[in-house]
Amino acid sequence: MSQVDIFSKHAAGSKGTERAPMPTQPPEERVKNFREVSLGYSPETARREASRCLQCRHRPCTKGCPVGIDIPGFVRLVAEGDFAGAAAVIRQDNTLPAVCGRVCPQEVQCESLCVLGRKGQPVAIGNLERFAADWERENREDAASKPVSVNGKKKGKVAVVGSGPAGLTAAAELNRLGYGVTIFEALHTPGGVLAYGIPEFRLPKDILAHEFKELERQGVELRTNVLIGSTLTVDDLFAQGFQAVFLGTGAGLPNLLGIPGEDLNGVYTANEFLTRVNLMKAYLYPQVDTPLYLGKRVVVIGGGNTAMDAARTAVRLGSEVMVVYRRSRENLPARREEVLHAEEEGVEFRFLASPIAIRGDEQGWVEAIQCVNMELGEPTENGRQGVKPIAGSEHWLPADSVIVAIGQGPNPIISRTTPGLETGLHGVLKVAPETFMTTREGVFAAGDIITGGATVIKAMGGGKKAAQAIDRYLRHKNSRLIGQSIGEV
Amino acid sequence: MFKILEKEAVAHNVWKYVIAASDVAKKAQPGQFVVLRLHEQGERIPISISDWDRDAGTITLIVQAVGHTTQQLAEMNAGDHILDLLGPLGKPAVIEQVGTVACIAGGVGTAIIYPEARRHQEVGNRVLTLIGARSRDHLFYQEELAAISERVLVATDDGSYGYKGFVTDLLRQLIDDGIHLDQVIAVGPIPMMQAVAELTKRHDIKTIVSLNPIMVDGTGMCGACRVRVGDEVKFCCIDGPEFDAHQVDFSSLLRRSQLYERSGTSCNSTENMGEGCDGQCHK
Ligand SMILES: Cc1cc2nc3c(=O)[nH]c(=O)nc-3n(C[C@H](O)[C@H](O)[C@H](O)COP(=O)(O)OP(=O)(O)OC[C@H]3O[C@@H](n4cnc5c(N)ncnc54)[C@H](O)[C@@H]3O)c2cc1C
Ligand SMILES: Cc1cc2nc3c(=O)[nH]c(=O)nc-3n(C[C@H](O)[C@H](O)[C@H](O)COP(=O)(O)OP(=O)(O)OC[C@H]3O[C@@H](n4cnc5c(N)ncnc54)[C@H](O)[C@@H]3O)c2cc1C
Ligand code: FES
């Protein structure tokens, strides 16, 4: 079959064919292990799925991609069997395709705009992105790496604070632009939420380790165990010769419910729970030293990805899990796939209910959680549906552990210790819209630290744009400096 | 990797480690701590920075072997490496010239109080140090504390050294003797700090305690270290570890510190943490 055949509207292999489902571990099996749930397409399935793409001339899907990947371009190459080529196309705009293919909310981004989705099912763009990235990693170890410009003198030194998607992307971009880059990370393992928050069964940590190895191979220096604002301040970084500082410190500070009983034993923030399991590998206790005590009946509060991750992790640790969410199913902010997977794995959902108190036994351990039913009201100014409690509907649910997954805010350490950094609503750093520069000259920021908790791809998009803004800033500054010194002569 | 340069036994089951960590040494202030992880399978545990040498790039930690990780550390020696070490963490202690300050330590709390007592002396305060320990074998830093304190009073559970009884008895004695205290700092087992807080509240003496809840990251990310202070929930690792003793909800703190006893880790720290601890927290 020639290419033309594949992509002519008639052949639009498309019409009749169904979207290829992502093969997964069966639910009854996967709840007993931490291995990845989704198994990935085979090359044949990937080609078949890719050939459903209509190659629309107006490319609607690309408008849904926060980093503007040439989606029809890479999908076409997958269909043709040029997987390396497909991966290269993606890499032009996305440094972490293996991650994004797994964790992006495609159903509200690219796939929501796919023409096929109007009548049937959209092309599985995320699955194909994942396929191309995995194929590249498994088959062409060095594909992603460009030769390191050893002879090329570095344009200058930039410090990147935080190794989450924002920092990682900024570092890769700055390195590509010819700067010497050092990443400073507070934790002992890099990756931000990708390392400590998103579980192994959704994002294998090998993939992350591979990305960091690759980055280091390209010359980026990575320093873990450094808390900027404490071990070194932003001023210290400038004093050490960094000409610009990028802050990608995320929104890691967990919100609490503020209800009675939240300090009882057995009440965790999702961050603590997930950190113990993902970063510290508490599920392997006692082979590892970090313990985790989780009761038989676990109630998770919240409806986002964090809540789904906590619920599904608790299932794997052997608990019966109920997710309590104050809005309705349609309002769940989590990725659709995570909700489906959670349901398949036996997680129970209780919608339109909100916790108001937690009760403990004599020893101070959680025993039950009190909720009140909610009803949907008028949409609020941010477009989400408002909710209000229904008087008299208070009721107790038995619970041995409660996991609070109601969002995170920015960590205050850097803003507390850096003179001149202004923060806005909820403590996010203020930046200028085009330049990503904070209120402190030479200090830039992107990712969750400027938006509040958002998505991996948005953090990456921000990190990349900020890196380009840093390049503009430094080129301008350096040319001014050169100008000045010439003037002085 | 952070190299252990020296290791020395300073008391029964308590070791002093001098560790190469130049960035931490440059910034350390009294009241701050580090979080360390010994090896790939290790747990992250918080330990106070007891001393530092900015020029040599070293920090001193005093660690009591109470459980899994601290016992593994007790088996390590000079020349060995600690895989991860993050710090300095927490807010530095606020130390101003106030007059007379009583520094009260229980057990390994002595390691934490030492740099603070020293700074109090440096800023011109009159320092009275009160130490509680289980027995003579559990005492350390006697000379160091004597050098900077006007008086060092010791209480042991068994009377093998100093007064036989609780360190809070010594504090009550001072107050009854009419010695005016402008500030009290207490570091040690939770029941001891609580007893001190109750006593000083009655006498209206400003009191600071250094809390030691369970921690994971030490950077404000997990909320494991949350404590109730007044009407607020504070994260000990970034808002503390020092708080106004009269505002701290000790019963909640005590309860939360026992969290992992259910999951099979056990504690023998009552024995070693010094008196004031009635053993309730570690049943
Ligand atoms: C459990 C969970 C699941 C999620 N699932 C999804 C998903 O499926 N899809 C999706 O798109 N999004 C998801 N998100 C959201 C997404 O992970 C975040 O929006 C994204 O990680 C933000 O990236 P970032 O680089 O801004 O910050 P982060 O990923 O938070 O990284 C910040 C890094 O900076 C470090 N740091 C902080 N302060 C300092 C300091 N002072 N010095 C040095 N280092 C510092 C932190 O330790 C951390 O490693 C999820 C979030 C959570 C919590
Ligand atoms: C800010 C801070 C500063 C500290 N400074 C020092 C110090 O300078 N020297 C020192 O020896 N210890 C210090 N500690 C206590 C030290 O962190 C614990 O002893 C250690 O975490 C126990 O770990 P483990 O694996 O040996 O014990 P585990 O096997 O985990 O537990 C043994 C027992 O200790 C209890 N425990 C666990 N964590 C803590 C904790 N954070 N505080 C008190 N008891 C705990 C457990 O409940 C258990 O009963 C400090 C703690 C904090 C929070
Ligand atoms: S130890 Fe995690 S927030 Fe304090």
Side-chain angles (χ1 to χ4, degrees):
Chain A
M1 220 179 353
S2 81
Q3 248 172 268
V4 183
D5 281 341
I6 296 176
F7 295 107
S8 65
K9 285 261 158 96
H10 305 288
S14 34
K15 269 199 184 136
T17 49
E18 293 276 306
R19 171 175 162 130
M22 170 61 87
T24 56
Q25 281 194 67
E28 55 288 359
E29 203 169 291
R30 69 191 192 228
V31 294
K32 292 185 231 137
N33 66 55
F34 275 80
R35 289 195 306 275
E36 193 172 15
V37 168
S38 301
L39 303 171
Y41 284 162
S42 64
E44 298 70 40
T45 312
R47 291 190 67 173
R48 183 155 35 85
E49 177 62 23
S51 60
R52 292 178 64 226
C53 174
L54 301 175
Q55 294 289 316
C56 310
R57 201 161 319 133
H58 62 299
R59 307 156 67 82
C61 48
T62 55
K63 292 180 193 76
C65 177
V67 297
I69 294 175
D70 174 5
I71 295 168
F74 98 78
V75 171
R76 179 190 183 110
L77 289 168
V78 173
E80 288 171 7
D82 179 1
F83 305 141
V89 167
I90 301 172
R91 282 212 176 259
Q92 285 169 7
D93 299 292
N94 184 340
T95 31
L96 298 174
V99 173
C100 293
R102 287 172 166 82
V103 306
C104 270
Q106 291 93 3
E107 71 270 19
V108 296
Q109 298 182 356
C110 49
E111 293 180 18
S112 74
L113 300 171
C114 176
V115 170
L116 286 183
R118 283 189 212 150
K119 292 228 176 80
Q121 288 206 301
V123 173
I125 301 170
N127 293 350
L128 292 173
E129 179 184 29
R130 169 194 159 133
F131 169 79
D134 287 356
W135 187 90
E136 180 195 55
R137 192 178 61 256
E138 283 153 21
N139 293 281
R140 297 199 36 197
E141 269 299 316
D142 57 355
S145 61
K146 298 194 190 67
V148 189
S149 60
V150 229
N151 53 343
K153 235 183 86 190
K154 294 286 179 196
K155 287 199 222 160
K157 277 198 332 175
V158 182
V160 169
V161 183
S163 61
L168 195 65
T169 313
E173 184 69 5
L174 286 161
N175 186 61
R176 197 181 63 81
L177 291 166
Y179 294 91
V181 182
T182 306
I183 303 181
F184 296 91
E185 168 57 49
L187 294 174
H188 58 260
T189 303
V193 171
L194 306 180
Y196 74 73
I198 300 182
E200 176 78 18
F201 58 80
R202 203 147 74 78
L203 178 64
K205 301 307 157 207
D206 287 353
I207 293 179
L208 209 54
H210 174 86
E211 294 297 340
F212 278 99
K213 231 173 53 216
E214 192 50 42
L215 209 57
E216 288 190 277
R217 221 173 66 82
Q218 290 173 28
V220 171
E221 193 189 338
L222 173 66
R223 287 191 57 195
T224 51
N225 295 314
V226 182
L227 182 65
I228 299 299
S230 190
T231 320
L232 296 170
T233 60
V234 168
D235 292 289
D236 292 333
L237 294 176
F238 284 115
Q240 289 187 2
F242 290 99
Q243 294 167 315
V245 175
F246 171 80
L247 302 177
T249 50
L253 196 77
N255 295 336
L256 296 169
L257 292 162
I259 63 174
E262 209 166 8
D263 60 343
L264 288 165
N265 288 357
V267 182
Y268 299 95
T269 68
N271 271 12
E272 178 184 357
F273 175 67
L274 292 171
T275 300
R276 282 184 184 271
V277 178
N278 297 326
L279 190 70
M280 309 310 298
K281 306 265 178 283
Y283 63 93
L284 300 175
Y285 184 85
Q287 281 104 289
V288 301
D289 295 345
T290 304
L292 173 72
Y293 176 81
L294 196 68
K296 188 72 199 148
R297 286 164 305 184
V298 175
V299 170
V300 177
I301 310 296
N305 286 321
T306 311
M308 296 308 122
D309 284 343
R312 298 175 65 199
T313 299
V315 165
R316 283 162 175 73
L317 294 169
S319 300
E320 293 158 16
V321 185
M322 179 186 282
V323 169
V324 172
Y325 179 55
R326 65 199 188 116
R327 291 191 169 85
S328 60
R329 174 185 292 272
E330 304 70 53
N331 286 294
L332 278 173
R335 291 180 81 220
R336 195 164 47 210
E337 188 183 32
E338 310 317 326
V339 178
L340 295 178
H341 283 170
E343 285 182 322
E344 287 172 5
E345 290 163 13
V347 172
E348 219 182 298
F349 285 80
R350 193 177 191 91
F351 295 104
L352 290 163
S354 185
I356 48 178
I358 306 172
R359 188 176 71 209
D361 61 17
E362 307 92 78
Q363 277 107 44
W365 281 83
V366 174
E367 174 176 270
I369 181 165
Q370 190 181 29
C371 295
V372 62
N373 292 338
M374 309 293 280
E375 59 189 347
L376 292 171
E378 295 301 305
T380 55
E381 62 271 25
N382 60 18
R384 290 179 73 186
Q385 211 159 9
V387 276
K388 56 178 197 294
I390 302 173
S393 68
E394 296 79 3
H395 55 281
W396 288 94
L397 302 172
D400 305 308
S401 297
V402 172
I403 301 174
V404 180
I406 54 164
Q408 288 94 238
N411 189 304
I413 294 179
I414 291 193
S415 46
R416 270 184 197 165
T417 55
T418 311
L421 270 193
E422 276 177 39
T423 53
L425 196 62
H426 305 305
V428 297
L429 287 181
K430 281 192 189 165
V431 295
E434 294 293 316
T435 65
F436 289 86
M437 203 194 287
T438 62
T439 50
R440 173 87 190 264
E441 164 146 25
V443 179
F444 300 76
D448 280 4
I449 185 69
I450 67 165
T451 55
T455 59
V456 170
I457 193 73
K458 283 192 181 132
M460 291 179 59
K464 182 168 179 183
K465 284 194 199 126
Q468 289 161 351
I470 291 172
D471 178 46
R472 284 195 298 277
Y473 164 78
L474 288 178
R475 275 189 293 152
H476 182 68
K477 191 173 153 194
N478 293 341
S479 66
R480 228 172 37 208
L481 284 179
I482 293 165
Q484 271 171 10
S485 58
I486 290 170
E488 280 159 18
V489 170
Chain B
M1 298 273 259
F2 299 81
K3 190 171 183 181
I4 302 175
L5 302 174
E6 294 169 33
K7 180 195 178 193
E8 187 192 327
V10 293
H12 176 74
N13 231 5
V14 181
W15 281 268
K16 172 171 144 180
Y17 303 84
V18 177
I19 296 164
S22 62
D23 284 340
V24 183
K26 270 193 209 114
K27 288 290 165 64
Q29 300 279 342
Q32 292 188 298
F33 62 96
V34 295
V35 163
L36 52 83
R37 189 173 77 124
L38 298 180
H39 49 74
E40 274 305 329
Q41 286 74 41
E43 183 170 11
R44 293 170 68 98
I45 66 159
I47 298 291
S48 302
I49 308 172
S50 188
D51 205 350
W52 52 87
D53 183 332
R54 303 207 201 282
D55 298 327
T58 61
I59 57 169
T60 301
L61 308 181
I62 304 269
V63 185
Q64 182 182 31
V66 295
H68 196 67
T69 303
T70 47
Q71 252 144 28
Q72 290 176 56
L73 187 58
E75 280 154 30
M76 293 172 73
N77 289 303
D80 291 343
H81 289 84
I82 292 171
L83 182 59
D84 298 297
L85 188 147
L86 174 70
L89 302 174
K91 285 186 175 165
V94 178
I95 297 178
E96 290 159 342
Q97 200 188 346
V98 290
T100 303
V101 177
C103 296
I104 307 175
V108 77
T110 315
I112 305 172
I113 213 126
Y114 170 61
E116 303 198 26
R118 188 176 58 189
R119 179 64 64 84
H120 273 289
Q121 192 251 355
E122 282 164 9
V123 303
N125 289 323
R126 174 179 175 226
V127 177
L128 306 174
T129 301
L130 282 62
I131 302 174
R134 191 178 169 216
S135 73
R136 186 184 195 118
D137 298 346
H138 294 79
L139 289 165
F140 60 96
Y141 268 179
Q142 297 299 290
E143 279 167 34
E144 286 87 342
L145 283 163
I148 53 164
S149 312
E150 189 184 282
R151 284 162 76 183
V152 178
L153 301 173
V154 177
T156 49
D157 290 3
D158 62 359
S160 55
Y161 192 91
Y163 170 81
K164 180 174 191 304
F166 289 168
V167 78
T168 36
D169 298 342
L170 294 178
L171 176 63
R172 192 174 299 113
Q173 194 77 57
L174 281 186
I175 296 171
D176 291 348
D177 287 351
I179 294 178
H180 176 77
L181 299 176
D182 295 287
Q183 192 177 320
V184 167
I185 311 168
V187 189
I190 296 164
M192 179 277 251
M193 292 192 284
Q194 183 169 16
V196 168
E198 280 163 10
L199 179 61
T200 58
K201 188 160 187 183
R202 285 203 294 278
H203 295 274
D204 203 20
I205 306 167
K206 182 182 171 189
T207 302
I208 305 290
V209 283
S210 182
L211 304 184
N212 50 6
I214 289 171
M215 293 188 174
V216 183
D217 59 305
T219 68
M221 183 267 277
C222 76
C225 66
R226 62 192 188 273
V227 290
R228 278 204 157 269
V229 182
D231 298 332
E232 288 179 278
V233 175
K234 298 279 190 186
F235 285 8
C236 187
C237 66
I238 54 170
D239 301 322
E242 311 224 319
F243 294 100
D244 176 349
H246 300 152
Q247 301 287 318
V248 171
D249 180 344
F250 286 103
S251 55
S252 162
L253 182 68
L254 185 58
R255 181 160 25 78
R256 290 183 59 77
S257 71
Q258 298 152 35
L259 224 154
Y260 281 95
E261 268 141 58
R262 264 207 192 176
S263 54
T265 51
S266 68
C267 173
N268 58 4
S269 68
T270 41
E271 300 167 21
N272 302 319
M273 276 287 220
E275 40 58 48
C277 186
D278 54 9
Q280 272 187 3
C281 52
H282 298 288
K283 268 201 287 237

